[in-house]
Amino acid sequence: MNNLVILPILIPLITATILLLIPKRIMLQKVISVVALSLTTIASIVLVHTVFNNGIQTLELGSWRPPFGIVLVADMFSSLLVLTGVIVSFMCILFAFRSIGKERERYYYYAFTQFLITGVMGAFLTGDMFNLFVFFEVMLMASYALIVLGGTRLQLRESLKYVLVNVISSALFVIALAYLYGVVGTLNMADVSSRVAESGQTGLLTVIAILFLIVFGLKGGIFPLFFWLPGSYKAPPYAITALFGALLTKVGVYAIYRTFTLIFYHEPQITHQIIGILAGITILIGAIGAIAYKDVKKILIYNIVTAVGVIVYGVAIATETGYAGGIYYLVHDMVIKGALFLLAGAMFAITGTNKIQQMGGLIKRHPLLGWMFFVASIALAGIPPLSGFVGKVLLVQGGLEAEHYVFVGVMLFSSLLVLYSVMKIFMNCFFKAEVLSEKEEKGSTKGLVYPAVILLAISAFLGLGAEVIYPYVWQAAETLMDPSIYIQAVLKE
Amino acid sequence: MKVNDLILQTVTTLLAFIIIIFSIYLFFAGHYTPGGGFIGGLMTSAALVLLLLAFDQKTMNKVFPFNFLTVAASGLLISTLTGVGSFFFDVPFLTHTFDYVELPILGETALASTLIFDLGVYLVVVGIAMTIIQTIGESE
């Protein structure tokens, strides 16, 4: 019994409901959002701390013992993601205060964001497959609303695609759940895991595993299922894209980690090999997309795809080092993608365009913004003192230990391409000849830069303070490596 | 040509009450027999839609002078708060309880706290269904 576990879900949910009641009072909405997110952040920090000291925390909803009731499980992996997710969404909302505009604020922007956070937190914390589906839907419904909010032509077109793809993948999710339930007769993750272990993962279960991979791959954007992502993420304004880029695909990635480390780990020569191949191609395709475009937003969006590939490969390595690297990179990537999108949003606020050719010489009047973008870029590529380095080193180490030389080569090569793609933005937009004079600038960066500053500080801490973070990540990797820890914590046998 | 819908309006005023009473019956019946918050709420909004068909938006706003989105939000709040109540009794979230109570007319009745949760569901369903229909109806 520990009601602490539900707080990261409950606080945003109650906040969202209250925000629905006061659509016209924007100032009050902002205050409530900030207070609620601060509370959620505190609750998540306490949660991480408790899990670190006392092991996995579970909450049996409604006092029903698992596997009969829904159980919420906070192991180190999910609590780390909860904490990172809350911080990133906090910063995105601070950014939105000055950038999202009155019109969107009046039409429930803050309420939708809180619902989105509810869904994401719930997906991270749940220990039940069907509940995972429900929280996916909570998250997706909120994201449908956010992607179309404002109603510009581009948003309407892209939201149609986005909704269509996600409705299909949700239907596949339900079908996969039905098959799983038909075979093992339970939906509690721990119970499913132990029953799959008993039956030794027959061919049918492997098929179901692949079906789950397709579902989560569609949500998370791995090759060849990422086709909807670049268009859809380009449509909404930056505050929303940052939220999507940092959270939504990562939930799919989290689900892949959870299912393939906890439940379907008996036939790695089939499932994990497929994951590995797809992840490798995802990395390459993302990197190619990133260098192909001359549009700031498109470049960053393709970098999401690359990162998803890198993280998912951690599953295919299937050693403790591999998992630790994947988790570290996942946390890093949530933070740094948030920071990059927010910085690009500030650039958009100044220039009013996403096209690289129409910017130039920004460093003259915006040195802080420029150098921050530089730091974020090298953190993304994985230059040593910053956060991207540790995760990649662990992944390379894990890959070498498991003798996946091709993957290591692909990943190191993709780092170069990623670095090239963001440096292209940096060199062209901040140096080169000045395009816009002071009077031609569309707006100021007042209040838009500091959320990104905080995220970059966290990123630097993730890199420099790796010694502090490492025990937490290691504990998370241990739980992923040994499913019996999870099963025992939930079923208490 | 002026449409005379006297019959429709007269029948509606009668039928709406019957439908609403039936939906309330369904709502309370949910614990032991088929029914519950969802279908009860849907049935109530069916009655409201019938009123909307027979009369017009203005009359509806006069009879029900509240925003249906607020109804939905307060329903959601009620449902969530029944879960939060468990915090004060030091039991897991959403733990519900029940008791047998002697009521004046009905005699011994089982009252469960899930009923309050269901009331929230009922309000959400009514609120959302009416919001959707009124928003589509109003937009040109």
Side-chain angles (χ1 to χ4, degrees):
Chain A
M1 208 295 289
N2 189 350
N3 272 330
L4 173 67
V5 182
I6 196 152
L7 284 181
I9 307 173
L10 191 61
I11 299 173
L13 177 60
I14 295 180
T15 316
T17 320
I18 295 172
L19 292 179
L20 281 182
L21 294 169
I22 45 165
K24 300 283 175 272
R25 310 187 56 183
I26 293 167
M27 203 55 223
L28 191 62
Q29 289 203 35
K30 289 181 178 175
V31 173
I32 292 177
S33 300
V34 167
V35 171
L37 279 165
S38 318
L39 285 176
T40 321
T41 314
I42 294 168
S44 322
I45 292 172
V46 176
L47 185 64
V48 170
H49 193 71
T50 322
V51 173
F52 186 64
N53 290 324
N54 306 337
I56 297 175
Q57 302 290 309
T58 60
L59 173 63
E60 292 153 9
L61 289 181
S63 309
W64 294 98
R65 299 247 324 113
F68 306 109
I70 291 170
V71 59
L72 296 182
V73 188
D75 64 347
M76 188 43 90
F77 185 31
S78 33
S79 15
L80 276 180
L81 292 184
V82 164
L83 179 60
T84 324
V86 170
I87 293 175
V88 174
S89 28
F90 199 170
M91 294 309 136
C92 290
I93 286 185
L94 287 181
F95 182 86
F97 280 177
R98 296 204 72 99
S99 70
I100 200 78
K102 281 264 181 305
E103 208 42 49
R104 287 191 170 92
E105 282 176 335
R106 210 173 299 142
Y107 284 94
Y108 307 100
Y109 167 76
Y110 294 113
F112 287 135
T113 331
Q114 295 289 338
F115 276 124
L116 184 85
I117 298 169
T118 312
V120 172
M121 297 304 135
F124 285 151
L125 286 173
T126 185
D128 184 281
M129 289 306 273
F130 195 79
N131 204 227
L132 178 69
F133 167 76
V134 172
F135 276 120
F136 258 107
E137 286 307 300
V138 172
M139 173 184 96
L140 288 172
M141 294 280 170
S143 74
Y144 299 157
L146 282 174
I147 209 170
V148 79
L149 192 65
T152 61
R153 180 198 278 270
L154 179 68
Q155 279 180 304
L156 290 174
R157 194 181 66 215
E158 293 303 334
S159 66
L160 199 65
K161 286 185 206 162
Y162 180 73
V163 171
L164 206 62
V165 167
N166 278 303
V167 165
I168 290 170
S169 76
S170 295
L172 275 178
F173 197 170
V174 177
I175 292 167
L177 284 173
Y179 280 139
L180 184 67
Y181 188 72
V183 174
V184 297
T186 176
L187 284 173
N188 179 290
M189 287 184 194
D191 202 29
V192 170
S193 171
S194 56
R195 290 196 191 187
V196 169
E198 271 167 32
S199 74
Q201 196 172 340
T202 51
L204 193 54
L205 279 165
T206 309
V207 172
I208 296 170
I210 300 296
L211 200 51
F212 274 113
L213 179 65
I214 293 171
V215 170
F216 297 140
L218 262 169
K219 313 271 188 200
I222 63 174
F223 175 85
L225 306 164
F226 70 93
F227 54 87
W228 55 272
L229 195 144
S232 307
Y233 279 21
K234 194 168 185 305
Y238 271 102
I240 295 171
T241 308
L243 206 57
F244 283 14
L247 294 180
L248 292 196
T249 50
K250 307 303 183 285
V251 179
V253 172
Y254 164 82
I256 291 178
Y257 263 85
R258 190 54 92 202
T259 36
F260 286 93
T261 58
L262 182 64
I263 302 171
F264 305 112
Y265 56 91
H266 303 280
E267 295 277 347
Q269 71 277 18
I270 303 174
T271 50
H272 289 53
Q273 188 153 14
I274 292 178
I275 294 177
I277 294 167
L278 292 184
I281 304 176
T282 312
I283 297 173
L284 276 182
I285 298 280
I288 291 170
I291 55 171
Y293 285 96
K294 285 194 156 42
D295 179 305
V296 177
K297 211 170 190 177
K298 269 268 159 66
I299 293 174
L300 294 182
I301 288 168
Y302 273 100
N303 274 314
I304 299 178
V305 178
T306 312
V308 164
V310 172
I311 301 164
V312 168
Y313 203 88
V315 178
I317 295 176
T319 62
E320 220 158 303
T321 328
Y323 290 146
I327 295 165
Y328 213 107
Y329 202 78
L330 181 51
V331 171
H332 144 78
D333 193 63
M334 286 167 85
V335 173
I336 207 69
K337 283 285 141 56
L340 272 171
F341 275 110
L342 295 186
L343 289 169
M347 285 158 66
F348 180 78
I350 298 169
T351 58
T353 175
N354 279 323
K355 296 206 171 60
I356 286 182
Q357 302 96 317
Q358 293 174 15
M359 302 186 199
L362 289 176
I363 198 96
K364 231 176 201 173
R365 275 189 301 279
H366 307 280
L368 176 66
L369 180 65
W371 292 116
M372 288 221 316
F373 194 89
F374 178 72
V375 174
S377 312
I378 61 172
L380 180 73
I383 308 282
L386 293 149
S387 60
F389 176 68
V390 192
K392 273 193 179 156
V393 161
L394 285 171
L395 279 170
V396 167
Q397 194 189 336
L400 290 179
E401 277 168 11
E403 299 183 344
H404 295 187
Y405 300 115
V406 178
F407 160 69
V408 173
V410 165
M411 197 183 74
L412 293 177
F413 179 61
S414 81
S415 298
L416 274 182
L417 295 184
V418 164
L419 185 64
Y420 169 73
S421 71
V422 276
M423 277 302 139
K424 187 170 69 183
I425 302 179
F426 180 68
M427 296 308 287
N428 283 303
C429 297
F430 288 97
F431 291 101
K432 286 256 169 114
E434 210 171 346
V435 175
L436 293 171
S437 66
E438 194 158 5
K439 277 176 200 144
E440 285 170 331
E441 289 185 359
K442 303 286 188 295
S444 73
T445 56
K446 196 176 155 228
L448 290 182
V449 179
Y450 69 95
V453 172
I454 298 173
L455 285 179
L456 274 186
I458 293 169
S459 158
F461 175 71
L462 280 173
L464 295 171
E467 295 263 315
V468 186
I469 314 283
Y470 200 62
Y472 292 89
V473 174
W474 199 253
Q475 192 187 343
E478 265 172 8
T479 321
L480 290 190
M481 197 63 209
D482 184 4
S484 63
I485 304 175
Y486 184 98
I487 296 170
Q488 257 165 20
V490 176
L491 297 178
K492 296 193 185 74
E493 277 160 357
Chain B
M1 192 185 84
K2 197 170 173 257
V3 185
N4 193 342
D5 40 13
L6 179 71
I7 296 178
L8 178 64
Q9 291 190 346
T10 319
V11 173
T12 300
T13 39
L14 262 173
L15 267 188
F17 275 105
I18 298 173
I19 299 175
I20 287 178
I21 287 168
F22 182 58
S23 75
I24 292 172
Y25 164 75
L26 276 178
F27 170 70
F28 280 110
H31 204 72
Y32 291 111
T33 50
F38 184 78
I39 188 66
L42 220 48
M43 193 69 104
T44 306
S45 28
L48 297 180
V49 171
L50 184 62
L51 283 173
L52 204 57
L53 282 176
F55 300 93
D56 56 352
Q57 189 81 60
K58 263 188 200 155
T59 329
M60 270 292 281
N61 289 344
K62 224 182 272 167
V63 183
F64 301 98
F66 37 75
N67 183 352
F68 279 102
L69 199 62
T70 319
V71 174
S74 39
L76 193 54
L77 203 58
I78 290 171
S79 286
T80 322
L81 290 182
T82 54
V84 177
S86 62
F87 276 59
F88 300 108
F89 299 100
D90 202 32
V91 286
F93 187 76
L94 276 181
T95 303
H96 285 283
T97 180
F98 71 99
D99 202 5
Y100 291 96
V101 190
E102 284 290 332
L103 290 181
I105 303 168
L106 300 167
E108 194 186 25
T109 316
L111 282 185
S113 62
T114 37
L115 191 70
I116 311 172
F117 185 89
D118 240 19
L119 180 69
V121 176
Y122 176 87
L123 289 176
V124 170
V125 173
V126 173
I128 295 294
M130 291 316 289
T131 308
I132 292 173
I133 288 164
Q134 285 193 339
T135 315
I136 296 174
E138 274 167 6
S139 69
E140 291 293 314

